[in-house]
Amino acid sequence: MKKNSKIIGLLVLVALIIMQFVRPDKNESGYESVAYFENETKPTDQIKTILKNNCYDCHSNQTIYPWYAELAPVSYWLAHHVDEGKEHFNVSDWKEYTAKKRDHKLEELIEEVEESEMPLASYTWIHGNLTQEEKEMLINWAEALRAQYNSTQ
């Protein structure tokens, strides 16, 4: 039994070492990936800061990676979070969304922020959480945008 534990431990160590060399793709397109969204939605400087600090890493093609993202298996975990976040809402794809889809995405944003589902708890451990004032600002901004999109439909 002790020999099996050593073999399993050695296999896990080898797998971790190999994982350091086989990395997931990074999500780094730069600012231009959110420029259309910001030009279209015209967020205030405060809202831009909230979006940049709490949303864009997982919901755009512009992720700013922390140092620990270079270490497997954390790199795989972060890549999964980013992929999943972009699947649900990607501001870099805003240009491709119809007015109806934009309205729906804003509705989801409001709901997720109100219910404290976003940002994810695992993100807030390191980056901090939104204050109640920031949540209210973000929700008010998104509600005003929804009113705009609803008036044009």
Side-chain angles (χ1 to χ4, degrees):
M1 185 62 127
K2 207 172 196 185
K3 187 174 182 172
N4 285 342
S5 296
K6 285 183 180 182
I7 291 172
I8 291 171
L10 183 60
L11 290 173
V12 168
L13 180 63
V14 169
L16 284 171
I17 291 170
I18 291 171
M19 287 174 73
Q20 301 308 314
F21 298 102
V22 180
R23 298 178 173 261
D25 292 334
K26 289 209 171 175
N27 182 49
E28 301 174 307
S29 293
Y31 175 76
E32 64 279 354
S33 75
V34 299
Y36 182 87
F37 173 77
E38 288 184 353
N39 289 334
E40 166 85 18
T41 61
K42 300 184 182 11
T44 64
D45 288 340
Q46 288 176 307
I47 296 296
K48 279 184 191 178
T49 300
I50 293 169
L51 293 169
K52 182 179 178 188
N53 293 341
N54 297 281
C55 307
Y56 288 165
D57 279 346
C58 294
H59 295 286
S60 79
N61 295 338
Q62 174 191 310
T63 302
I64 298 171
Y65 289 92
W67 65 269
Y68 53 85
E70 299 301 319
L71 304 172
V74 174
S75 56
Y76 291 91
W77 181 67
L78 288 173
H80 173 72
H81 273 281
V82 170
D83 290 345
E84 192 170 307
K86 287 172 45 177
E87 181 181 311
H88 291 283
F89 178 45
N90 186 352
V91 299
S92 298
D93 291 342
W94 195 253
K95 184 187 266 187
E96 312 306 319
Y97 292 171
T98 63
K100 184 176 181 177
K101 187 170 184 175
R102 289 174 184 178
D103 174 59
H104 179 68
K105 293 301 177 183
L106 291 168
E107 178 183 31
E108 288 178 336
L109 181 151
I110 293 165
E111 188 176 297
E112 294 291 318
V113 172
E114 282 178 338
E115 295 174 2
S116 297
E117 296 293 324
M118 285 289 143
L120 292 175
S122 57
Y123 188 84
T124 62
W125 295 337
I126 302 220
H127 299 279
N129 208 346
L130 293 172
T131 66
Q132 189 58 39
E133 181 184 8
E134 290 171 327
K135 285 181 181 182
E136 289 171 10
M137 283 191 301
L138 190 58
I139 289 167
N140 291 338
W141 169 77
E143 286 174 342
L145 276 173
R146 285 195 71 209
Q148 259 184 287
Y149 289 118
N150 285 322
S151 69
T152 61
Q153 288 182 16

